[in-house]
Amino acid sequence: GLKVVDAMKITGIIICHDSEKQGRLNFEPIIEKTRKMLSAWKGRNLSIFGKVIAVKAHALSFMQFAGSVISVPEWVISEMNKIIYKFVWGGPDKITRTNAAHPISEGGINLPMLKNVIIASQIQWIRRRYKFPNKAWATFFDIDLNKLGGENVLVGGMHREVNLDSV
């Protein structure tokens, strides 16, 4: 009596066996939403720093949830970066993207690199796992972690205690 489906949506994320399809279904709408949102902001004559705030508040946050739950294909990061940096600079990059991520006091514009935002979101699951060990989802986390070699993978194989409350 159970219906077999190709894909299903759970808390806003489409999960399916085909990772390429999963990437398209989840990230193409985010890319389009980002493109439209930043296009709407173009007419507001924002400074570079105003544009950075718009990117942080909208474009990066759109990616943060999905990127914390499922893998983000490289083509998505590449496309999002094109959209973001074209919006910020109004054309070609004026400084390197690495330098743009630096604080203003160091010559940057304080624009986080998308890939780093996604990695930070993913790392938070490790912290949550140890902060809330009795939650049902922690079982799934443990199953995947054990496939990689267990908890030792998280600390580079060294046996030491890590205080995740300070992270």
Side-chain angles (χ1 to χ4, degrees):
L2 292 177
K3 180 181 176 186
V4 177
V5 295
D6 182 44
M8 67 177 160
K9 194 175 218 178
I10 302 172
T11 64
I13 301 295
I14 298 169
I15 307 294
C16 56
H17 289 287
D18 182 347
S19 62
E20 191 175 312
K21 180 179 179 180
Q22 180 173 284
R24 280 193 322 275
L25 292 173
N26 284 292
F27 294 110
E28 284 178 354
I30 292 172
I31 290 169
E32 193 52 38
K33 184 177 179 181
T34 301
R35 188 177 279 119
K36 286 180 181 176
M37 185 277 307
L38 293 180
S39 180
W41 279 96
K42 278 184 186 175
R44 298 195 181 187
N45 201 22
L46 297 172
S47 70
I48 296 291
F49 301 110
K51 291 176 182 180
V52 168
I53 290 169
V55 167
K56 287 178 177 179
H58 298 287
L60 296 181
S61 66
F62 294 159
M63 288 294 298
Q64 205 164 8
F65 175 68
S68 75
V69 179
I70 59 174
S71 295
V72 181
E74 282 300 318
W75 67 267
V76 172
I77 294 170
S78 176
E79 187 62 26
M80 286 291 289
N81 279 335
K82 285 179 199 171
I83 295 166
I84 289 167
Y85 287 98
K86 185 176 179 186
F87 168 74
V88 169
W89 298 119
D93 295 1
K94 307 289 189 241
I95 61 176
T96 67
R97 293 174 181 187
T98 302
N99 286 342
H102 288 264
I104 296 166
S105 62
E106 295 176 19
I109 58 171
N110 209 24
L111 177 60
M113 297 181 80
L114 177 58
K115 190 164 192 144
N116 292 347
V117 170
I118 293 166
I119 290 169
S121 297
Q122 293 168 341
I123 288 172
Q124 285 300 313
W125 284 106
I126 298 168
R127 181 176 173 275
R128 288 182 196 115
R129 161 59 184 93
Y130 289 97
K131 194 164 184 127
F132 306 105
N134 298 322
K135 298 290 184 183
W137 59 264
T139 303
F140 295 104
F141 181 92
D142 289 342
I143 290 167
D144 285 342
L145 185 59
N146 287 333
K147 289 177 188 174
L148 298 172
E151 291 181 0
N152 287 340
V153 171
L154 299 177
V155 291
M158 300 184 310
H159 296 283
R160 60 186 169 110
E161 192 166 316
V162 178
N163 181 359
L164 293 169
D165 289 327
S166 64
V167 176

